[in-house]
Amino acid sequence: MNSRCVTQSLGLLTAVAAIGTLTAPVAFAAPGAPPTAATAKGLPAQPKDDFNGDGYADLAVGTPNGHLGLRAESGYVTVTYGSKSGPNLSDTQVLFQGAEGIPESSAPDRFGSYLASADFNRDGYADLAVGMQYRKRALVVWGSAKGLARGATPATRFDEQGGRLLTGDFDGDGNADLASGAEDGGLRVLYGPFDAAGGPTRESSVPPSVPHPRRSLGEIKSGDVDGDGITDIVGLYTWDDDTVGDLNHHLVLWRGTPDGPTAFRPVTDHRRQAIWGESLDVGDVNKDGYADIAVGYTREQYDGPEIPPGGQVTFVRGSAQGPLGSRNRVFHLDSPRVPGTPKFNSGFGASVSVADLDGDGYEDIVVGVGWMAVDGRNGAGSVITLRGTRSGPTSTGSKELHQNTKGVPGTAEKGDRFGLRTKTLDTDGDGRDELAVSAPWENHHAGSVWVFKTDKNGVTPNGSFVYGPKILGLQITPHLNFGSVYTS
């Protein structure tokens, strides 16, 4: 584009969180405020990421490389609120360190490195957990009728390389919990409901399941893959097993139980070999009541399994026994009816998102092809959608979108990395998720986010728009990479 062990002794440290806003200032609101009348009026039930309880999901974008008059890599988060017309750019908040209520740091913390959303205190509003990679802390910012308002800092540390944040009901008690990577390579879980001071009901640690000292946690996502009513955790975990080195991530499962997540177990294919990946998402693609897993893998140039040129996405079906890795299905650029040309280093699977884009009840798979060449421009990037059906995902009716698609703002340029990150959420309350697509390297690494509407045929370029730091009136600094982080 041309421009544009269970313990309760740790507790939580509390602090007032601050919000900079591009519109009117937002009043602080304590947790426990009554929800809005959205539900009583018969509007859609509160979706994930709905921070003001109006029935529309809100789009939070982390920019850990950014800074607003502070040290480089201090980071910030922008929150664009949803409406009946979708994301409303004129109603955008900016959360950052150094604003009122959030202490200015003397060192870069990369505020916004990880994001996760859930209603932690059961007041009817989604709250936002914000990870700070360098400080190894997370801040919870409370939702309210006026949007995100004040925060509390959990007194828990996570691993700098694996500090991903994730929400779900991991013990099945009906309350939202917060999980993160721990310094020993395991998981730390804070269980809800959280109190008015931001304290969890209890905490637990899940140790790593492998003895190798060289291990790290990659991406993690949540979903009920075995249909027992308790949220499971699906992740990509790296360890050096002296066979393929430490470059590849194994697909693993932490099963949710009434006591919380169990130690993970690898998910293997029909040959009992590891399923590798670097991106993933979870959702019910075949509408059978079990969450399925989509795993993207692009590293054809590294040691590990042989994959088709350009990358692949593996679909793993959920069941009462858990993920059925032995019955997986693989898609790539050489699959029938998948748009694009098989080419080395195209990045098919650089990102994946699972959501119902056409309103038929089957969740679809969005595949980011972050290095795809578009009209001869290497690394411009694209996204491809695979429809969900009763038998799982299908390439029949698949679509491709990029910056040279008619109706999409901008122009595909070399190295934009369009599709490197994707996010789905229902910002207009119509029952279909919209699609947010990032090109973090757009405009010399400034970065931009595109928002695509959906209709009965799925994602459409009609009505799509793009925004970035310039549109929001934010400072553009080197290697800003706006759009590099979404909520998990």
Side-chain angles (χ1 to χ4, degrees):
M1 181 180 165
N2 299 321
S3 63
R4 259 236 281 177
C5 62
V6 176
T7 174
Q8 299 188 45
S9 61
L10 293 179
L12 293 180
L13 300 178
T14 59
V16 175
I19 291 163
T21 175
L22 300 181
T23 55
V26 174
F28 286 1
T36 63
T39 303
K41 289 181 179 179
L43 295 176
Q46 180 201 41
K48 182 181 172 75
D49 302 321
D50 182 8
F51 305 120
N52 58 1
D54 63 357
Y56 308 113
D58 310 311
L59 180 57
V61 177
T63 309
N65 289 344
H67 60 93
L68 301 175
L70 304 175
R71 293 176 62 93
E73 293 187 315
S74 54
Y76 61 79
V77 177
T78 61
V79 180
T80 301
Y81 286 86
S83 71
K84 64 180 180 180
S85 301
N88 181 6
L89 291 179
S90 66
D91 189 8
T92 297
Q93 290 180 315
V94 182
L95 288 72
F96 61 98
Q97 293 174 291
E100 181 183 356
I102 296 182
E104 182 174 342
S105 175
S106 60
D109 289 332
R110 290 180 59 81
F111 183 88
S113 298
Y114 314 106
L115 301 174
S117 170
D119 183 2
F120 296 115
N121 55 5
R122 300 197 66 173
D123 66 351
Y125 305 102
D127 311 303
L128 182 66
V130 183
M132 296 172 281
Q133 182 183 7
Y134 288 172
R135 184 175 289 195
K136 301 183 181 180
R137 295 277 193 241
L139 175 76
V140 175
V141 185
W142 301 110
S144 75
K146 294 184 179 294
L148 291 165
R150 72 180 186 89
T153 305
T156 184
R157 299 177 66 84
F158 52 69
D159 178 72
E160 180 177 321
Q161 299 302 318
R164 316 287 179 164
L165 298 176
L166 187 68
T167 60
D169 183 8
F170 305 122
D171 58 1
D173 67 352
N175 298 300
D177 311 314
L178 176 64
S180 71
E183 289 185 292
D184 64 357
L187 289 177
R188 180 69 53 81
V189 185
L190 308 181
Y191 295 92
F194 289 60
D195 62 28
T201 300
R202 64 184 180 98
E203 301 185 16
S204 72
S205 294
V206 185
S209 302
V210 291
H212 308 288
R214 298 177 64 189
R215 59 198 176 205
S216 67
L217 178 64
E219 194 163 5
I220 51 177
K221 291 296 176 69
S222 59
D224 186 3
V225 298
D226 56 12
D228 65 354
I230 304 177
T231 308
D232 308 302
I233 298 176
V234 178
L236 297 171
Y237 202 91
T238 296
W239 64 86
D240 187 351
D241 60 7
D242 296 324
T243 58
V244 295
D246 61 348
L247 291 172
N248 295 290
H249 285 79
H250 306 65
L251 178 64
V252 299
L253 171 72
W254 290 265
R255 203 160 191 166
T257 75
D259 295 321
T262 61
F264 75 67
R265 65 174 178 84
V267 179
T268 56
D269 63 16
H270 66 283
R271 299 164 297 180
R272 296 188 177 180
Q273 294 183 355
I275 295 175
W276 307 99
E278 61 195 89
S279 65
L280 83 160
D281 203 7
V282 177
D284 190 359
V285 176
N286 56 4
K287 204 167 63 171
D288 64 354
Y290 303 102
D292 310 306
I293 308 168
V295 185
Y297 189 69
T298 70
R299 297 179 176 180
E300 69 260 58
Q301 69 268 45
Y302 296 121
D303 291 337
E306 228 179 88
I307 66 172
Q312 68 181 30
V313 169
T314 302
F315 169 73
V316 180
R317 188 188 306 270
S319 75
Q321 292 76 45
L324 297 178
S326 61
R327 297 172 56 187
N328 63 35
R329 187 181 303 176
V330 176
F331 294 85
H332 44 79
L333 290 170
D334 204 22
S335 297
R337 298 177 299 278
V338 171
T341 302
K343 185 179 179 181
F344 181 80
N345 202 29
S346 291
F348 184 86
S351 62
V352 289
S353 295
V354 180
D356 185 2
L357 303 176
D358 54 14
D360 65 355
Y362 297 95
E363 300 205 354
D364 312 300
I365 300 177
V366 179
V367 182
V369 196
W371 295 272
M372 172 74 82
V374 176
D375 296 335
R377 296 170 176 85
N378 291 331
S382 70
V383 292
I384 293 173
T385 60
L386 305 173
R387 290 178 50 247
T389 72
R390 184 177 180 180
S391 59
T394 178
S395 56
T396 300
S398 59
K399 297 181 178 181
E400 181 182 26
L401 293 171
H402 47 70
Q403 290 189 66
N404 282 2
T405 301
K406 184 178 180 180
V408 176
T411 302
E413 295 176 325
K414 181 179 179 180
D416 280 348
R417 301 296 195 261
F418 180 91
L420 198 60
R421 298 287 183 270
T422 57
K423 167 70 176 179
T424 53
L425 70 174
D426 187 4
T427 60
D428 59 8
D430 66 355
R432 296 187 302 265
D433 278 27
E434 285 71 58
L435 172 63
V437 179
S438 294
W441 290 18
E442 173 83 7
N443 292 337
H444 306 288
H445 294 249
S448 294
V449 170
W450 281 254
V451 177
F452 292 93
K453 294 183 178 296
T454 55
D455 58 26
K456 65 180 181 179
N457 296 312
V459 65
T460 174
N462 298 330
S464 60
F465 66 92
V466 61
Y467 72 101
K470 183 176 181 180
I471 295 295
L472 297 177
L474 299 171
Q475 182 180 5
I476 297 178
T477 54
H479 298 283
L480 183 65
N481 299 131
F482 183 88
S484 57
V485 179
Y486 292 118
T487 51
S488 63

